[in-house]
Amino acid sequence: MAAKKEEEFDLEAALARIEEITALLSSSETSLKDSVKLYQEGMELTRKCQENLEGVEKQLQILNPENDDEI
């Protein structure tokens, strides 16, 4: 088994980390090298969040196919 679906993605934790990254990137004390690493981490988290939300949307469409317009 694949480590519990890649250890169940925690959307709320990812969004909180993205907020932290945004604050760090806004800081003049963050070096260029660290900024690049933070940017890469933020983009990866953003991609994972998007994939997670798309999966949830598909599940909702399966559970409630009559209301596709409302999702």
Side-chain angles (χ1 to χ4, degrees):
M1 196 173 197
K4 212 176 181 186
K5 203 177 190 181
E6 285 187 34
E7 293 190 25
E8 290 296 318
F9 182 73
D10 186 346
L11 181 64
E12 289 80 13
L15 292 173
R17 178 61 182 152
I18 290 170
E19 286 183 25
E20 290 174 13
I21 290 170
T22 301
L24 289 168
L25 288 172
S26 298
S27 171
S28 61
E29 295 179 15
T30 305
S31 71
L32 180 58
K33 184 178 180 178
D34 289 340
S35 293
V36 171
K37 288 179 183 178
L38 288 166
Y39 178 80
Q40 289 174 329
E41 180 185 354
M43 292 304 294
E44 180 65 20
L45 284 171
T46 300
R47 184 188 61 75
K48 288 180 180 180
C49 287
Q50 184 175 4
E51 288 174 358
N52 183 266
L53 290 172
E54 287 171 357
V56 169
E57 183 178 5
K58 287 178 184 175
Q59 288 177 332
L60 290 173
Q61 288 173 346
I62 290 169
L63 293 172
N64 200 4
E66 296 120 26
N67 294 326
D68 280 351
D69 298 342
E70 295 177 20
I71 298 176

